[in-house]
Amino acid sequence: MDNPSRRDVLKTGGLLGALGAFAVATPAQARPWRWSPAGSIPGTGSGADPRQVWDNEADPLVASLLERGDVPRVNELLRTWKKNSQPLPEGLPNDLRDFMEHARQLPSWADPAKLETAVRFNEKRGLYLGVLYGFVSGMMSTVIPKEALAVYYSKGGANMKGRISKTAKLGYDIGSRNAYLGDGEMIVTSVKTRLVHAGVRHLLPQSSHWANMAPEDVPISQHDMMVTWHSLPTSVMRTLEEWKVPIPAPEAEGFLHSWQVSAHMLGIEDQYIPATWDDAESQAQEVLDPILAPTPEGVKLADMLLDLGKGLDFSLLTRPILGALTRFALGDEVANWLNIPREPVWGTLLDVAWGPFIAVREGLLPLPLAPDAYWTFDELLRQFVLLYMSELRPISIEIPEYNNPNYP
């Protein structure tokens, strides 16, 4: 992944203003779909523009559940379905049961050896990944215009801490030792998330607030899902490379494979799932990098995210450190878009000490050379992960029944 990304350009001093960003965002979204399915898992496909493809299995099913009034009962039943190999609850509607039995099956190309290698990758870097999934990718979502709009006006926009915790749960589940095994939870999380997306597709067009702002008639297309996908594994890998975290090639391949399987389980067609990291990078440059831009909704969401540490006893998890982390990880332009001020103390500390801290954690520098700042970073990571992991257990991923009640 040697080609410069938009994120790299942003970090090295790109100074597009908010107005200019809006101006370049629309043509990037409107241009023809150019990524070839030759770079996908099957190496072939129809080449259909994913902006015009949604989920033709889950969407009509969930629309029917909502129209029949079955969703409250379904959500109640599915709260008891937690483990991958666990039988589906009794009492589910037959059409939903048939869909879920099919949707819970791993793709034929899933490789157990690669998934096992992914476990080693995740075990070594669990602390980094907790922060990257739970916050950095979450903050990036606020400058993905269509995603920010959809989140803001859907049910998730009314509770951003809950919404980002569910994103963190996805990262936690995919990074667990038994992610896709019988006693793991990643398959369950994926299938439930697929149902949620279908629910949002049905409900959000009914919101006049969203309909008056959105550039499309139906949200969360296959294109949108791949944009979000790249904000997770692709952006994480870019960041780890930027931090000079040494990653053996088999572990990098295993990490990618775990996310390839997740894309399939979330309902993304195989023809859009990149086959290699080079393919992922080429697709990210097509679908993610050109569309990053500020929106009024995204700025408001970012402000909510910066308040996630409010009320915690651990004093580091406050707006200054989260703001400095955003600027450090996503660059000056994104931070300026989101009206995040510079933090002289934390910003300087991250700029100066983060690289050596990573080198110490990765065993590239001897521990005796580590100053107090490294221990501070280590504790920050641990506390951040604990903040979300401690809240994951009671989280229930459920089909929404309404949009953001603040914007009916």
Side-chain angles (χ1 to χ4, degrees), residues 48 80 128 158 188 228-229 254 273 287 296 300 310 317 322 341 392 408:
T80 65
Y128 310 149
V188 173
T228 300
W229 187 90
I273 303 174
V287 305
K300 293 174 185 175
K310 187 177 181 179
L317 279 176
L322 294 180
L392 293 184

Side-chain angles (χ1 to χ4, degrees), residues 74-352:
V74 165
N75 282 335
E76 182 179 0
L77 291 170
L78 289 182
R79 287 178 198 135
T80 65
W81 187 52
K82 299 179 180 180
K83 300 297 181 182
N84 296 335
S85 62
Q86 185 179 344
L88 293 175
E90 294 294 331
L92 290 175
N94 290 335
D95 52 357
L96 176 61
R97 175 179 294 276
D98 291 344
F99 166 79
M100 293 181 68
E101 290 291 7
H102 166 70
R104 71 190 297 187
Q105 303 304 314
L106 292 178
S108 60
W109 44 263
D111 187 328
K114 289 182 180 180
L115 293 176
E116 179 60 31
T117 303
V119 171
R120 295 202 299 273
F121 175 93
N122 290 310
E123 285 181 340
K124 290 180 182 179
R125 296 164 186 95
L127 287 178
Y128 310 149
L129 295 175
V131 174
L132 291 172
Y133 290 145
F135 182 74
V136 177
S137 293
M139 189 62 80
M140 179 179 285
S141 72
T142 69
V143 291
I144 298 174
K146 288 170 65 176
E147 182 171 350
L149 200 67
V151 169
Y152 191 79
Y153 291 113
S154 65
K155 183 180 178 182
N159 181 4
M160 280 304 293
K161 189 169 186 178
R163 200 266 181 180
I164 199 173
S165 293
K166 290 173 184 175
T167 301
K169 176 172 172 56
L170 185 73
Y172 175 81
D173 289 344
I174 200 172
S176 65
R177 179 183 294 274
N178 54 358
Y180 293 104
L181 301 179
D183 58 341
E185 298 184 10
M186 186 58 190
I187 293 174
V188 173
T189 294
S190 298
V191 173
K192 288 184 177 181
T193 301
R194 187 175 175 183
L195 294 173
V196 169
H197 287 166
V200 172
R201 290 191 196 100
H202 181 74
L203 292 170
L204 204 50
Q206 301 174 30
S207 164
S208 60
H209 299 275
W210 179 85
N212 290 335
M213 298 289 294
E216 73 278 312
D217 295 329
V218 181
I220 318 181
S221 66
Q222 295 272 313
H223 183 278
D224 296 331
M225 287 194 286
M226 284 310 305
V227 169
T228 300
W229 187 90
H230 285 295
S231 75
L232 290 156
T234 307
S235 295
V236 164
M237 184 57 73
R238 285 175 171 180
T239 302
L240 293 178
E241 289 183 348
E242 184 179 322
W243 291 350
K244 295 181 172 56
V245 176
I247 302 173
E251 291 184 16
E253 186 177 0
F255 176 61
L256 174 63
H257 190 67
S258 68
W259 278 98
Q260 290 169 328
V261 173
S262 81
H264 176 95
M265 301 302 291
L266 288 167
I268 296 173
E269 295 184 9
D270 289 356
Q271 67 167 322
Y272 302 125
I273 303 174
T276 67
W277 277 118
D278 286 341
D279 294 320
E281 181 63 28
S282 72
Q283 190 186 81
Q285 292 176 19
E286 171 83 8
V287 305
L288 174 66
D289 300 336
I291 68 169
L292 298 180
T295 62
E297 292 81 10
V299 171
K300 293 174 185 175
L301 292 175
D303 187 65
M304 296 178 198
L305 293 179
L306 290 175
D307 271 339
L308 289 180
K310 187 177 181 179
L312 293 178
D313 293 334
F314 188 63
S315 60
L316 292 179
L317 279 176
T318 57
R319 287 183 71 97
I321 180 58
L322 294 180
L325 179 61
T326 300
R327 186 173 291 275
F328 179 75
L330 297 182
D332 287 335
E333 188 171 21
V334 169
N336 292 340
W337 284 347
L338 299 175
N339 299 329
I340 298 174
R342 293 183 181 275
E343 299 292 344
V345 175
W346 280 106
T348 300
L349 194 61
L350 286 165
D351 288 338
V352 172

Side-chain angles (χ1 to χ4, degrees), residues 342-380:
R342 293 183 181 275
E343 299 292 344
V345 175
W346 280 106
T348 300
L349 194 61
L350 286 165
D351 288 338
V352 172
W354 189 262
F357 161 70
I358 294 294
V360 168
R361 282 200 58 88
E362 295 294 327
L364 303 178
L365 287 178
L367 192 61
L369 297 180
D372 290 344
Y374 300 174
W375 301 109
T376 299
F377 288 151
D378 201 64
E379 184 64 8
L380 172 66

